[in-house]
Amino acid sequence: MLSEQQHRAAADAILKAEATKVPTPQLSRLYPEMEIADAYRVQDLWAEARMAKGARLAGHKIGLTSRAMQIASKMTEPDYGRILDDALFNDGAQIRADAFLKPRLEVELAFVMGEDLAGPGKRIYDVMRATEFVVPALEIIDYRTEVPRAIVDTIADNAAFGAIVVGGRPVRPMDIDVRWVGATLSKNGIIEESGVSAAIMGHPAAGIAWLVNKLHEVGAGLKKGQIVLGGSFTRPVDIAAGDVIHADYGPLGAIGVSFL
């Protein structure tokens, strides 16, 4: 385990990279003894610093929901990060690409909580019962460290979260089969990716149940009104200034966003 002084130095490195748009060397290289618990502590300190400057916790994101990504990262479970309200965009937004270091887009579903939900022992049906709406969402992922990255780099870097774009048609979770939401992702008029939500751990709510139980271990949970990104069901697509993105979710509508 790292010392608290090292935790703070690592968090400061992420904050500096975010501000200057110059990636920091991998924390796993700077602190070879860094463990998963250290990485989450660094994430905590990063979030505390951002919220001290006025950002508000709007929810959470879940990453590494596919088995292939877990194997590649040498993990046996997903990871998670925070969604802050200053990184929340609506359908039709024009977003500055230079607000990020190396932005990429993923297609996801977001769960809007209708009531508080805390562990332990929560399951998919608990998540479905506590969810008010499911809504199409795009996640912008970003790296504030150099690559290649170890899993501790990703977790410390707020699980690679950059921003979220929500749009389309909100639906109540029991009104559709949320396992079979399909979507295509187009960049500049060309379909780059497509997928179906069952690719997220077999059920999009499975990752959220995992998150609730994981947050319980640190004395936290999900709150009414918070938004939770359930994980990507497409591969990430690189984006840059000038790109126009269209994600078509069929009956759940579409999201359009452009980058300046």
Side-chain angles (χ1 to χ4, degrees), residues 123-140:
R123 300 182 180 274
I124 288 172
Y125 48 76
D126 298 305
V127 172
M128 298 290 280
R129 186 185 302 118
T131 298
E132 185 171 14
F133 296 112
V134 176
V135 61
L138 299 175
E139 182 183 0
I140 302 172

Side-chain angles (χ1 to χ4, degrees), residues 30-259:
L30 297 174
Y31 307 101
E33 69 275 31
M34 192 175 206
E35 300 176 1
I36 297 294
D38 293 309
Y40 278 117
R41 178 57 183 156
V42 172
Q43 185 189 125
D44 291 342
L45 293 170
W46 169 87
E48 289 171 10
R50 294 277 275 101
M51 289 189 284
K53 292 185 176 180
R56 183 182 62 85
L57 180 65
H60 298 267
K61 68 149 287 184
I62 305 166
L64 302 181
T65 52
S66 76
R67 183 61 181 148
M69 286 300 295
Q70 289 177 18
I71 292 171
S73 302
K74 298 180 181 178
M75 286 283 281
T76 58
E77 63 180 13
D79 66 356
Y80 67 86
R82 273 89 161 179
I83 297 173
L84 302 181
D85 65 340
D86 58 2
L88 181 59
F89 296 92
N90 294 321
D91 179 28
Q94 294 182 313
I95 303 173
R96 294 194 62 87
D98 62 8
F100 309 94
L101 281 78
K102 185 176 174 53
R104 294 184 292 166
L105 267 181
E106 295 179 336
V107 173
E108 309 200 14
L109 291 175
F111 287 63
V112 181
M113 304 308 298
E115 59 185 66
D116 294 355
L117 187 63
K122 291 300 181 281
R123 300 182 180 274
I124 288 172
Y125 48 76
D126 298 305
V127 172
M128 298 290 280
R129 186 185 302 118
T131 298
E132 185 171 14
F133 296 112
V134 176
V135 61
L138 299 175
E139 182 183 0
I140 302 172
I141 60 174
D142 198 19
Y143 290 174
R144 270 75 56 167
T145 73
E146 295 174 354
V147 294
R149 301 187 353 147
I151 186 59
V152 292
D153 298 306
T154 299
I155 292 172
D157 190 19
N158 198 32
F161 177 77
I164 174 179
V165 185
V166 294
R169 182 170 72 90
V171 294
R172 296 191 182 277
M174 299 302 186
D175 288 350
I176 61 168
D177 186 346
V178 294
R179 299 173 305 152
W180 296 109
V181 176
T184 60
L185 180 66
S186 300
K187 181 172 73 171
N188 303 325
I190 299 173
I191 294 177
E192 299 280 354
E193 283 292 331
S194 64
V196 64
S197 58
I200 308 169
M201 300 174 68
H203 195 295
I208 298 173
W210 170 86
L211 173 65
V212 170
N213 296 326
K214 200 71 177 176
L215 289 174
H216 172 76
E217 297 176 8
V218 293
L222 300 179
K223 301 297 183 183
K224 180 179 180 179
Q226 286 187 339
I227 188 167
V228 186
L229 278 169
S232 178
F233 53 96
T234 65
R235 291 178 298 181
V237 171
D238 290 336
I239 48 176
D243 286 340
V244 177
I245 300 295
H246 181 81
D248 188 345
Y249 286 75
L252 267 64
I255 301 174
V257 62
S258 58
F259 290 87

